[in-house]
Each structure stands twice: as C-alpha cells, then as structure tokens.
Amino acid sequence: MENSNSRISSMDKRTMISSFLEIAVDQTDVTAMRFLEAKGWNLEEAIKLFYSGHDQNIDEQNLDRSRFGGSLSIDEEFSCSWRTETNTRDNLASLYSPPFALLYHGSFEQAKEAAKGQDRWLLVNVQSKTEFNSHMLNRDTWGNELVAQTITASFIFWQVSDDTEEGRKISTFYKLDSVPTTLVIDPITGQKMRLWRGMIQPESLLEDVLQFMDSSPTDHLHSSLHKRSRESSHASSPKIQDEISEDDEKMKLAQALSMVTLKDIEEEVPKEEKRNYPPLPEEPKGDKSLLCRVGVRLPDGSRAQRNFLRSDPIQLLWSFCAAKCGDEKPFRLIHAIPGDVKDLDYDSLLTFDDSGVPNSMISVAWE
C-alpha cells in the first residue's frame, strides 16, 4: 500500500516546514521535520503536538530525508519555493497571527489614554509565543466575527507579548501568574475589573463582557463616588441614620397600603388586550451571509441567542423573547450601543438587516 507521505511533493513539504517555523519560533528545520513526520505531514496536528510537549515517541532516526528531494541545506531552492507559494497557498500560520485589525497600535499608556478619551473599557491580552493557547485565542476567539464586532464597538483592544519590556511591566503590576491572560481595565483608575486565564471560548467571553457594555468607565466612576458618598454620610451621622430608618419604615408601610389599593383598582380596570406576536419559524441555517445572530438578556438575568434571516421582520425578535420569558406581562426591548440606549419599536417595518441589531445583545425589561 502506497505511503500517503510519498504523495506529498518536495515543494509542499518545504512549504509546511516554513509554516511550522513561523509559529514554532526559534526552532530548527530538523525539529519541524520531526513533528510533521510524526503527524503524517498534517501541519495543524504537528503544531498542536509541538506545543503539547509530548515528543517522546518521535524517532528522529526514522526520518526519511530522501522524501525532501535532497538536503535541507539547499537554502536557495527552499527560499525560492517559499516565495512562490506565499501568494497562492492557504498559510496556516496566518490563522494564528494576532488580530491586527482589532488592535490599538501603541504603548500601554497610549492605549489607556485612548480608552479614557473615548470613554471605553481597555481590553488587554498578554500572550506568550511558547503557549499554544495564545495562538488559539488569536484564531478562535479574536478571530470570531461576533467577538470582533463587540470589541470594535465597545472596547480599546491592546495585545502584548510577555517577553517584551511592556509585557513584563504589565505582568508585574497586575500580578499575572500565567499566560495568556486577558484583562478588562478601567482606563480612568487603572483598576483591573475582570481577568481570564488561558483560552476563552467566544461565547463565554461575549457573556462575560456584557456588564461592561451596559455602562462606561465614567458611569462606573460616578456610581462608585456616589456610593462612597452615601456610605460616608451614613457612617458619620448615626442619629440621622436612625431617623431615616424610621422614616423608611413608615414609607414602606404607606407603599404597602397603596399597593393593596392599586391592586384592587387594577382588577377593576380591563387589562390591555395582549399583543399577538407573529409565529416564530424554525431557526434558519445555511449561508452565513444571509443570517445574523442576536442575543437577548432576559429579565431574570439569563441569556439566549438565536439566528434570524437578515431579511426577517424585526417583530420576530418579540416572538422569540415572548417564547423565552412569557408574554403574560408587557415587555420592552432595549438596545444598548456605545454612548446611547434606545427602545426598539415593535411597530416599525424594519428588517433585521436595517434595524442595527444583528450581532448585538438586546435586554428584555418588564413594562
């Protein structure tokens, strides 16, 4: 039976060796050959094996260098074949490259000033060239379309390698004990607001950053100052606090009595006729260019996501939410975007594509 390796051309092997060395930095051609041979010249599997550190069973003596059509020392031929293939092949290394289009290009202090000026949270990713999870983050998380859109809309994103001077400063200042590590930083105070270690799946990241999309660093600062002011006032005025507590108890009693009266009145007044939402079709699949994904945060704090056709009427979003939280009580849908929060209009005739809600998170609130 013909060995599958024999069907791989000499030029293809040289190309894969070069791709391997782009990711596994500071390694030799022999190392690349050893791991590629061990995985039958499957480049991605060879990279994973290299970063796993399990190379005990790889026997260098069994490498058949004749399959390369000669010695690997023929640098000129190797370089020529590499330049020819660069413009035509699907280079695996590009899948693991940093998300340059998303990144802020500058120092940490410059990134922090930019985030402060735009009133956005600073998202920092500290990576290591020797940790495969760093490459996986680049490919699967930062390369995810919805994650990229969320970062572009709500964050300043800065990435650094742990072997650089700035990388070492960040690791020391924020006491990072492993890499890769991802942080949300308040650009006003420099405070660490959230930290993830290792690989983060796109869905988990999107859920975790929702809280930072609901309020800006300035909102958080004002809220903190107001809270401290109230705590300080209460601590310094115990007698006044006692009087306020008595007033609060009276207010609670009055509110309870008013609620009973209000309930009686509501029972006598006919309730508004329940809105009939359009039937929710089966979730569409297929061509991603025709689809959009929308997430909703329900009143109980849980979250749900669904695909819709971009050409679907936006009313189907109400149908989806009603199916998740019930339609016994009227609810409204709130779309939070940087610098603005608005209620969605059920009676609009917009499609999902025209509404601005594709690939965003919508909050459901009781009326």
Side-chain angles (χ1 to χ4, degrees):
M1 186 174 182
E2 185 184 8
N3 190 321
S4 60
N5 290 347
S6 65
R7 295 196 296 268
I8 303 175
S9 70
S10 173
M11 181 177 291
D12 286 341
K13 289 181 179 180
R14 293 189 183 95
T15 298
M16 282 190 279
I17 289 172
S18 184
S19 295
F20 185 99
L21 295 176
E22 280 192 11
I23 300 171
V25 293
D26 299 327
Q27 300 301 313
T28 65
D29 293 342
V30 173
T31 299
M33 291 165 54
R34 190 171 83 236
F35 282 90
L36 286 164
E37 180 73 14
K39 286 299 181 179
W41 294 92
N42 182 312
L43 181 54
E44 184 167 6
E45 291 300 318
I47 289 291
K48 290 180 179 178
L49 179 61
F50 172 79
Y51 279 104
S52 71
H54 300 303
D55 61 344
Q56 301 95 318
N57 298 323
I58 301 175
D59 184 0
E60 284 190 49
Q61 302 304 318
N62 292 332
L63 287 174
D64 183 0
R65 288 173 174 77
S66 64
R67 294 174 184 171
F68 291 85
S71 172
L72 285 173
S73 63
I74 309 177
D75 295 330
E76 183 177 355
E77 181 184 354
F78 184 90
S79 177
C80 180
S81 65
W82 164 243
R83 287 196 299 270
T84 302
E85 289 294 319
T86 298
N87 295 325
T88 58
R89 66 189 172 85
D90 181 12
N91 188 355
L92 180 67
S94 66
L95 294 176
Y96 296 103
S97 64
F100 296 112
L102 294 177
L103 295 177
Y104 179 87
H105 300 284
S107 67
F108 174 74
E109 288 300 325
Q110 289 170 334
K112 193 166 69 168
E113 285 301 314
K116 186 191 301 183
Q118 298 179 37
D119 198 18
R120 297 186 179 197
W121 300 101
L122 178 59
L123 185 65
V124 172
N125 177 221
V126 182
Q127 295 210 335
S128 169
K129 295 176 183 177
T130 62
E131 290 293 332
F132 190 54
N133 275 337
S134 293
H135 301 294
M136 293 294 288
L137 272 171
N138 287 339
R139 188 188 71 174
D140 296 340
T141 304
W142 311 135
N144 179 276
E145 181 182 358
L146 186 51
V147 169
Q149 291 177 353
T150 300
I151 290 175
T152 300
S154 305
F155 296 88
I156 293 295
F157 185 33
W158 187 74
Q159 191 179 80
V160 68
S161 179
D162 67 335
D163 61 358
T164 63
E165 183 178 354
E166 284 214 283
R168 287 188 287 270
K169 286 181 179 178
I170 296 297
S171 297
T172 300
F173 185 81
Y174 290 103
K175 300 179 180 178
L176 306 184
D177 54 9
S178 65
V179 284
T181 298
T182 305
L183 310 92
V184 174
I185 293 174
D186 184 338
I188 300 175
T189 64
Q191 179 184 359
K192 175 181 65 182
M193 307 297 295
R194 185 71 162 81
L195 182 145
W196 300 264
R197 293 181 177 86
M199 175 63 184
I200 324 164
Q201 294 301 326
E203 297 79 9
S204 298
L205 180 71
L206 288 170
E207 288 191 7
D208 290 344
V209 300
L210 273 175
Q211 58 180 307
F212 300 105
M213 298 174 66
D214 289 342
S215 63
S216 69
T218 300
D219 294 332
H220 174 72
L221 178 62
H222 290 166
S223 175
S224 298
L225 292 175
H226 182 65
K227 181 180 179 181
R228 290 177 185 174
S229 176
R230 284 189 294 126
E231 290 175 350
S232 175
S233 175
H234 292 170
S236 61
S237 306
K239 185 175 181 180
I240 295 177
Q241 175 63 37
D242 291 340
E243 293 174 355
I244 292 175
S245 298
E246 292 178 6
D247 290 341
D248 285 345
E249 291 300 321
K250 294 177 182 178
M251 181 60 71
K252 289 178 182 178
L253 178 60
Q255 287 176 340
L257 292 173
S258 66
M259 288 298 291
V260 173
T261 306
L262 179 60
K263 183 178 179 181
D264 293 338
I265 294 174
E266 286 178 343
E267 290 178 352
E268 296 175 3
V269 177
K271 290 185 179 180
E272 182 181 350
E273 185 177 350
K274 188 166 63 176
R275 175 172 277 163
N276 291 320
Y277 300 118
L280 189 64
E282 184 177 351
E283 184 171 5
K285 298 178 181 178
D287 189 348
K288 291 185 177 180
S289 65
L290 303 177
L291 304 178
C292 66
R293 193 162 186 82
V294 180
V296 296
R297 184 168 54 186
L298 303 174
D300 63 0
S302 62
R303 298 178 178 87
Q305 298 183 29
R306 191 186 194 277
N307 284 330
F308 296 91
L309 289 172
R310 291 182 176 273
S311 57
D312 279 339
I314 195 176
Q315 283 87 352
L316 289 182
L317 190 54
W318 274 263
S319 304
F320 176 59
C321 294
K324 291 294 180 181
C325 64
D327 58 354
E328 297 303 317
K329 295 194 295 184
F331 59 83
R332 57 195 179 99
L333 303 185
I334 304 168
H335 186 198
I337 57 178
D340 191 21
V341 176
K342 64 178 182 179
D343 284 12
L344 297 179
D345 181 9
Y346 176 82
D347 295 318
S348 71
L349 300 178
L350 296 176
T351 64
F352 277 91
D353 207 23
D354 299 328
S355 65
V357 302
N359 302 320
S360 61
M361 184 64 68
I362 305 299
S363 297
V364 184
W366 299 122
E367 290 281 11

